[in-house]
């Protein structure tokens, strides 16, 4: 992404036994092949039978070693009818999403401003493109009765994902209910109810 | 911060009539004075009588024009007894916090991992320092019966702030309750209850 | 891309009357709407009836003002049967390409090494993904008898394109035939023949 | 600081046996704890009984492993009455200083301009904040009869410090007196006298 | 170059047994000597008896370990009478060239624009300086009957070089003649003829 | 230099009436000519009859508009017999120097280490190259009885220069002698003597 360090050689592949640096170390170039830049199967729908009715298939430096230092990655997102990719942020990447099939209601919220947190939304149909700026909370919802599919490009080789509901109400261990009750200005019973809706992230 | 573009001169001040570029344009150097690098009053407690019992006083490029292009800023945070600086993120800055008075229970949550969203917490006393990595959700809570004060440095001249509760349940306009009900796996009544707790950000 | 300067605010839109800075200046945020992050029609095939049998539809900061400072952009590429997206480079961006329809023979060439300029190639089918590292010469060729379609994401808001044949043999004005004859180790007649094959870029 | 490479993951801790890369390598995330982001004792005065009457306590990536890749660090500075933090530069960081106790006379000098090297100074009292732009020579002097304390944030995980007097007149080995005599336009006797004032840095 | 990650210490030398990271790892500072920042012999003409009549002598991080992380390097270029440094790009560096002896006809070509690929050329004599922007195709030609010499500085510790003729017509293995014939809009016989002019790069 | 923001287009020239941004704004590309990338006369010796016996001729973005955003610049340095380019730093650039004529004694000093400020020196002859890392204090001295000439490349379009003697003892206005007396551990009389040696920078 904009803040990925730039490469100092044509490319830098992951060896099988990587030391952990900021990003990854490189495989000796003579061991590099075209397959190190390749991924297959992005045309295959993934299983969306979960509480959210959506599934994210990541194609980042963990799937394509050749992306190391190159500052970009992809994801395919499948949405069941009425499926949701819930509010989340990518702390280190901007996302540009293209709808391949179906219709999606999408939006993002700005950081705090004098006018509050502004919500920008759009109804997208096949062939529409939308941008979610780096670090802002955003979502996509399939209002329609048919499945939807989108491909998203992200401006980092390894964009983090923070699913808000999971991070706030499902962290490991949980955040103190005293903190959350005051943060959301509700009673601890409501917080415990929210924390009780256990579910896993869709990515 | 780590991803602020670097300066191409000693400093770059804001003129009174700035065109908006990425960051800000510069005031002609001959018009620069020491006061352009100066801010006063960070020793003064701010008013914490709000729902959260906390108040953030920002000292960034909007308060000190000389910070433009320099990649750093400050904030003073006052906490009433049992006051909370609620879960929030800085999309473009890491924060390093120092407790000046009182005790604080602080924490941050990692992005999604195979082990979920890991929570790291610590009880801090006067003179303790803690780091909240860029883009991660974090909070500070004053458990104690006495006021607390902290100073935070942030790795950007203009760190954004996203208060999670405000951005998710208090955006302008509100996020559709259909989206939020599915995102948090609760009924729309619970969402409406959460959205009804109107309050303003503490910064 | 990896080397785009990072944003210093949530986003930075182009005003109608932009001064030219490195990138672009910003539209006042209060004038920003969801449409500033939106583009439509990427599902529509473009006209490939040219000498190459291919056409690139760009979706960068010139089409989506909201991409300014965000370090990413898109392109749709249509290929007629036996159509070619000829050898070219993006001086400031890595490309990650996904095949939406058809099959493509793709490749890139490394910079000079002790083993010469190494060629990496792959035959791609629908759903396959391939990476072309920043600044390297690469191409895509539709060997098949049916049209092909790909979407490419690029790690810059405004990736340059240098089509090698155009830049070397079709520049304006032309490069001296004495230079080109020696560069390619052939006679001036061959150079004149190559320069005579006038055609326009496919983007 | 502005030019620290940005992180490619939430955080990157130092293992006990680090290979030296640009910055540091990472500890496996599963070995990370809250204490990796923690430092304690910044409220404790340090010993200022040295020739300068000042002492700098560093809190950077060497004290807090979690700061690796995050582009920020801290320092506490204690000043005895009439104590001085002498002219120095941070080659890779901007500094923003807050006075916690006492009064300080501070200043920095610009790089060479047509009007010479401009000096900007300010008398600071408790609660005042001042910025020293990256790479410029700056100092703080406690004019008052009482001790002073300041906390400084710096825009790098590992800001270098170059104490001018030490680097120019106390280097190891010494700079040739022929060079220094001509540089300062004085006799070698004056240079030898300056070199003879042996003392150690206050950080 | 502009996009080299910045240093996080004074310098970072290569050890004898380097792990490959993005760039290089560091030698322990106590093993560093002045010779790690030193190269000798740039005043010696190199052998230009090759098909191009030119020779590039590189002085980058591979010759001077101390250049690691510092974002700059050098090259000396010798030109026989009528010698050519053929069209090439540096994918990750801008070049600034100074003529030390003789005269050179130099030029670069812009990326694709609405007016095509614009060629900028200049006849240079001893003491003239010219800039070749990052990633653009450029060349230098010694029209004169006497040898010429230039020194070029490049904005990366390890600027890649892509010699266009070699990369396009001399890659290993060769690019398919079907691809090249369509790319250059000529017959396969012309492509085979161009591919047959085997020669090695001059750097 | 390593921390110059990267370009977002082929090049970005200065218009005659520039607004000051971080760096400079761009001239409309259609007004660009080859002369915008050109400088002449670097082969001409400059006048070294000053107290230092040296003169620096700068070739940066102020002389070559085309260098804007490109992260590199040049300087020619002339040295009279026994001439000195005195201890100075470039706060935002690494320097790589090549000796064209004569011999030079050069050196740089590291930032503060546990072993003090380490001095690295080398005697250079014609054709020798030496690197001065970003932000470190360095100098060149012509020990010989004949003039010397060097060309230096710097990793920024606009490298600042801080001449230590001028910045510390010749600033405008002067730094308080109380500060300098304590900083150098000498009497105010010595400081006044040093401040009295008025002279101008050689660049």
């Amino acid at each position: 992404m904009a803040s990925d360090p730039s490469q100092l050689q044509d490319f830098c592949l992951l060896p099988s036994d990587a030391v952990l640096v900021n990003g990854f170390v490189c495989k000796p170039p003579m061991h590099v092949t075209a397959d190190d830049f390749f991924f297959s199967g992005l045309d295959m729908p993934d299983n969306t039978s979960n509480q959210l009715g959506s599934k994210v298939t990541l194609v980042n430096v963990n799937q394509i070693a050749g992306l190391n230092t190159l500052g970009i990655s992809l994801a395919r997102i499948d949405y069941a009818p009425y499926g949701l990719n819930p509010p989340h942020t990518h702390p280190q990447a901007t996302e540009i999403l293209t709808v391949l099939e179906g219709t999606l209601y999408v939006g993002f919220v700005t950081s705090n401003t004098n006018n509050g947190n502004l919500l920008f939304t759009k109804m997208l149909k096949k062939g529409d493109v939308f941008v979610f700026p780096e670090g802002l909370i955003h979502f996509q919802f399939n209002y329609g009765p048919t499945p939807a599919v989108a491909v998203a490009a992200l401006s980092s080789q390894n964009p983090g994902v923070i699913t808000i509901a999971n991070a706030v109400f499902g962290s490991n261990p949980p955040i103190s209910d005293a903190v959350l009750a005051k943060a959301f200005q509700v009673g601890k019973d409501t917080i415990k109810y929210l924390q009780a809706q256990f579910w896993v992230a869709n990515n």
Side-chain angles (χ1 to χ4, degrees), chain A:
Chain A
M1 71 173 178
S3 57
D4 274 10
S6 297
Q7 71 251 53
L8 289 168
Q9 54 285 312
D10 284 353
F11 37 70
C12 170
L13 281 292
L14 285 72
S16 47
D17 59 344
V19 172
L20 289 172
V21 293
N22 185 26
F24 297 101
V25 297
C26 316
K27 176 192 294 188
M30 66 288 296
H31 298 166
V32 174
T33 73
D35 287 339
D36 291 314
F37 301 92
F38 175 71
F39 175 87
S40 121
L42 207 63
D43 57 326
M44 305 306 294
D46 204 340
N47 180 358
T48 59
S49 51
N50 55 45
Q51 304 103 308
L52 294 169
S54 72
K55 183 66 178 175
V56 177
T57 302
L58 300 173
V59 186
N60 61 34
V61 70
N62 298 298
Q63 286 76 38
I64 300 182
L67 283 173
N68 192 28
T69 75
L70 298 185
I72 196 164
S73 59
L74 284 183
R76 174 198 167 102
I77 314 171
D78 288 288
Y79 310 82
Y82 310 105
L84 172 73
N85 190 14
H88 63 284
T89 72
H90 304 291
Q92 294 146 42
T94 288
E95 174 176 341
I96 182 168
L97 176 139
T98 306
V99 179
L100 299 184
E101 297 298 336
T103 60
L104 292 173
Y105 171 74
V106 304
F108 68 81
V109 182
T110 69
S111 58
N112 303 358
T113 76
N114 295 337
N115 303 317
N117 299 84
L118 306 177
L119 173 70
F120 291 88
T121 61
K122 191 80 180 174
M123 188 66 71
L124 305 182
K125 64 180 196 317
K126 182 175 182 177
D128 288 352
V129 175
F130 202 77
V131 175
F132 304 106
E134 177 181 348
L136 301 189
I137 296 175
H138 59 287
F139 63 85
Q140 303 107 30
F141 188 32
N142 177 9
Y143 263 151
T146 60
V149 183
V151 60
L154 297 114
S155 61
S156 173
Q157 70 181 47
N158 187 33
V161 180
I162 300 174
T163 305
I164 300 300
N166 296 30
V168 175
F169 296 108
S171 70
N172 169 18
I175 296 175
S176 149
D177 55 7
V179 168
L180 294 178
K182 177 156 268 183
F184 291 88
Q185 297 287 302
V186 295
K188 292 190 178 182
D189 54 340
T190 301
I191 297 303
K192 289 187 190 309
Y193 175 58
L194 284 156
Q195 292 179 321
Q197 313 312 318
F198 178 83
W199 53 280
V200 297
N202 67 331
N203 52 67

